[in-house]
Amino acid sequence: MTAESILSPEIKRVLITGGAGFIGGCLVRRLLRNTDVDVFNLDKIGYASDLSSIENISVSNRHHLLRVDLKDAVETAKALEISNPDLVMHLAAESHVDRSIDSPIGFLESNIFGTYNLLEAVRSHWDNLSPERKKRFRFHHISTDEVFGSLGSKGRFNEKSQYDPRSPYSATKASSDHLVNAWHHTFGLPVVLTNCSNNFGPWQFPEKLIPVVILKAVNLQPIPIYGDGLNVRDWLYVEDHVDALLLVANKGQVGQNYCVGGYGERTNKLVVENICNLLDKYRHSSAPHDRLITYVKDRPGHDQRYAIDSTRITSELGWEPKYNFEEGLEKTIIWYLNNLEWCAKVRENANYYGRRIGTVGL
Ligand code: NAD
Ligand code: TYD
């Protein structure tokens, strides 16, 4: 399924927030490649941002960067005036749990106040649209399964799961979900929400599990597994997430949330072992890579298990992931091995070289 077939032809101008990040970048590239919409990319260009994946695309005259921090209400309102969108897809957020443990304030500012400023700017834009544009306008809020807390060994999150966020990151994402729902119920803003599981794939800033492990192994450094390595995440290849986002943005029911997961449940230990095995294949001179695995102190408040039941988005909208975990992982590893210079560049820009973060209280 391509964006072409799922974005309705009336949608000409799309505002993406966080389009210089990992998932937003994948979405922006898809829109530039497969549609003829104008993409307005609102991003503060923070430590995890990088535009090189977008700059490579030749049709970038339809890509308009708006370097704005959502903390700034005036600049955010201006961005809505400039972009004059038919659709807003809100991905901008501080996104790393470990960083939220070290310094929660930036998460409150971006994820809660930033979403509030955006909602107010969008509401004013929507109020002033012609009846025809108003009818088809959507605000799509992109959220995470982490708002539902931590599962035991059984069950999966679905759209009826109770909110129970437990990290500063997930608490701020839950707050933003509540704000979005409140703007729908109180002001009538036509919103759709998605709550997705852990994404992986090319161009992910190397601070999250999969790129961290690849780079540690390539550099023959200890590979850190937090705690006993038995925490479970439900991994989804980023292109599959983008398919889901475009479907929901275009065809989702207003006021509805959709859970998106990859049926890719794995313990962290298994994920790390899979990466080591694939690296043995592609870099056999330094095999076995699993000798580098090191168990380190657990993350404070570490959620045990996430898993998603994607029945609603599959039955209502026909979404299914195209990549299984092994296929996605192999593609990802090959990409990182071919893009080690990019990794070095983004690490240097962020002044982050893989040190352990998020250990406050340990
Ligand atoms: P990312 O950290 O790679 O990118 C986030 C982008 O948002 C960055 O470019 C950053 O500069 C921008 N941003 C942050 N605060 C901003 C602000 N105040 N103003 C303007 N721009 C700001 O994150 P990602 O992994 O691409 O995640 C994107 C979204 O998807 C987030 O909302 C996240 O909560 C959600 N999500 C992520 C995952 C995952 O596994 N990565 C899973 C489910 C949901
Ligand atoms: P992460 O990629 O940070 O995503 P999230 O915390 O949002 O799920 O972490 C995924 C899992 O991997 C999580 O259980 C923490 C664990 N982890 C490690 O064991 N070692 C690491 O170096 C990192 C970054 C994460």
Side-chain angles (χ1 to χ4, degrees):
M1 176 192 319
T2 65
E4 264 159 334
S5 61
I6 57 177
L7 264 194
S8 85
E10 300 85 40
I11 296 176
K12 307 270 187 230
R13 303 165 71 87
V14 181
L15 175 63
I16 309 283
T17 75
F22 166 51
I23 302 169
C26 188
L27 176 61
V28 167
R29 292 193 300 280
R30 182 79 74 85
L31 289 175
L32 292 176
R33 285 194 177 118
N34 295 358
T35 75
D36 56 7
V37 297
D38 274 78
V39 177
F40 294 84
N41 182 354
L42 184 162
D43 200 299
K44 69 179 178 183
I45 310 295
Y47 78 94
S49 306
D50 182 66
L51 291 167
S52 44
S53 75
I54 296 167
E55 284 159 357
N56 289 339
I57 297 176
S58 55
V59 286
S60 57
N61 60 336
R62 288 189 286 106
H63 176 247
H64 313 277
L65 178 66
L66 303 171
R67 191 168 181 168
V68 169
D69 191 326
L70 291 172
K71 273 170 23 183
D72 186 332
V74 174
E75 288 300 312
T76 302
K78 269 192 210 156
L80 260 295
E81 274 171 38
I82 294 166
S83 56
N84 185 18
D86 303 303
L87 167 68
V88 176
M89 298 177 78
H90 176 37
L91 294 96
E94 290 300 333
S95 69
H96 192 203
V97 173
D98 288 332
R99 283 182 192 259
S100 83
I101 294 168
D102 281 345
S103 183
I105 181 69
F107 287 72
L108 275 75
E109 288 170 345
S110 282
N111 303 359
I112 304 178
F113 290 107
T115 299
Y116 161 73
N117 287 335
L118 182 65
L119 281 167
E120 282 296 78
V122 168
R123 181 159 75 100
S124 154
H125 165 70
W126 176 70
D127 274 343
N128 291 307
L129 287 175
S130 65
E132 201 183 304
R133 285 187 75 199
K134 201 169 180 175
K135 208 168 120 195
R136 65 169 186 260
F137 180 85
R138 295 288 180 274
F139 178 88
H140 180 174
H141 179 59
I142 285 79
S143 192
T144 165
D145 58 357
E146 304 190 26
V147 298
F148 303 126
S150 181
L151 290 166
S153 58
K154 292 214 175 80
R156 289 184 169 146
F157 297 129
N158 64 27
E159 291 76 10
K160 297 200 164 52
S161 296
Q162 294 290 310
Y163 277 71
D164 182 22
R166 296 150 44 102
S167 74
Y169 163 65
S170 56
T172 60
K173 288 298 291 187
S175 306
S176 65
D177 290 14
H178 293 319
L179 290 174
V180 169
N181 282 323
W183 260 243
H184 170 62
H185 288 290
T186 307
F187 304 114
L189 194 69
V191 308
V192 284
L193 265 89
T194 43
N195 295 92
C196 187
S197 60
N198 288 58
N199 282 217
F200 70 104
W203 306 102
Q204 186 171 31
F205 182 77
E207 64 182 350
K208 304 215 173 126
L209 180 69
I210 289 179
V212 162
V213 172
I214 298 170
L215 293 191
K216 294 280 185 192
V218 164
N219 294 315
L220 303 180
Q221 292 168 341
I223 298 170
I225 297 188
Y226 300 170
D228 58 10
L230 297 181
N231 304 70
V232 172
R233 299 294 183 263
D234 180 357
W235 294 96
L236 181 68
Y237 193 61
V238 63
E239 295 282 354
D240 282 326
H241 187 189
V242 167
D243 281 350
L245 293 180
L246 289 167
L247 262 180
V248 170
N250 202 41
K251 297 196 170 141
Q253 282 182 56
V254 169
Q256 190 69 274
N257 68 321
Y258 293 86
C259 283
V260 186
Y263 298 105
E265 278 185 64
R266 299 280 183 294
T267 63
N268 295 336
K269 182 172 178 287
L270 191 59
V271 169
V272 173
E273 286 167 359
N274 285 170
I275 297 172
C276 290
N277 292 339
L278 283 163
L279 286 173
D280 290 350
K281 175 169 150 192
Y282 289 104
R283 299 208 140 199
H284 40 86
S285 62
S286 42
H289 291 86
D290 63 2
R291 73 195 143 90
L292 299 165
I293 292 175
T294 312
Y295 287 86
V296 298
K297 275 191 185 167
D298 210 352
R299 171 189 278 173
H302 197 172
D303 286 343
Q304 185 59 36
R305 176 170 165 259
Y306 306 140
I308 286 271
D309 175 353
S310 304
T311 302
R312 174 179 283 171
I313 187 171
T314 300
S315 59
E316 268 186 33
L317 305 180
W319 176 83
E320 272 177 8
K322 290 196 192 83
Y323 297 89
N324 68 35
F325 179 72
E326 285 72 24
E327 288 164 341
L329 190 63
E330 187 149 8
K331 280 171 85 71
T332 304
I333 287 178
I334 294 169
W335 186 88
Y336 275 93
L337 293 179
N338 289 329
N339 287 277
L340 292 172
E341 268 181 33
W342 176 83
C343 296
K345 183 190 84 176
V346 293
R347 281 179 147 193
E348 197 177 322
N349 288 346
N351 193 24
Y352 177 71
Y353 301 93
R355 70 181 183 282
R356 174 84 195 263
I357 48 182
T359 53
V360 171
L362 288 181

